[in-house]
Amino acid sequence: MPEGRSILVVLTTGKEALVRANAVLQLTGALQQHGTGQVELLFLGPGIEVLRANQRNSPQFAEQLDGLRRAGVQVAACRNSLENLGLTEDQMLPATVVQGGVEVATRIAEGWDVLTF
C-alpha cells in the first residue's frame, strides 16, 4: 500500500473466531507502525463481541486495544451493533461509539482503504 494511505480496518468476526480477531488486532498495529497514514479500527456486527468486558479473553484484548490507542489508532464500536446484540457501553471495553455504516461510507468517500475481516 502506498505510504500515507489511510486505512479503516473493520472487524465483523465475533466470538466464533477469537483467534482471527486477535490476528486482526495485530495486523492493525502493524499497519499503524509502518506509517501507512491514519489507521482506524471499527468493530461492527458480531465483531462487537470482541469488546465484551466479561469474557475470558478480555484482559488480552484490553491490553492490545490500549496499545493500539497509544500508537494512535482510533478504536470505534458500532452503536447499532451494540443495540442489536442487547449490549450497553458499560459492558464493553473502551471504544468510541459511532454509527458504523456511516463511518464506513464516510471513509470510502474520503478515499480511505477499507479492510474487512
Side-chain angles (χ1 to χ4, degrees), residues 4-55:
R5 295 290 301 235
S6 295
I7 301 170
L8 174 64
V9 178
V10 181
L11 182 63
T12 62
T13 299
K15 64 183 177 183
E16 77 282 358
L18 291 178
V19 171
R20 183 181 313 161
N22 182 53
V24 171
L25 295 181
Q26 290 177 6
L27 169 70
T28 303
L31 290 169
Q32 181 67 24
Q33 283 181 331
H34 289 20
T36 58
Q38 177 62 41
V39 177
E40 294 183 6
L41 175 60
L42 172 63
F43 293 89
L44 185 66
I48 287 292
E49 296 274 347
V50 174
L51 292 175
R52 288 184 79 128
N54 65 348
Q55 63 186 338

Side-chain angles (χ1 to χ4, degrees), residues 75-110:
V75 178
C78 175
R79 178 178 314 283
N80 290 343
S81 298
L82 281 171
E83 291 172 3
N84 289 339
L85 292 172
L87 300 170
T88 60
E89 289 183 52
D90 62 334
Q91 294 173 300
M92 311 304 287
L93 297 172
T96 302
V97 178
V98 298
Q99 294 295 87
V102 172
E103 290 295 310
V104 173
T106 299
R107 297 301 176 261
I108 290 170
E110 293 173 344

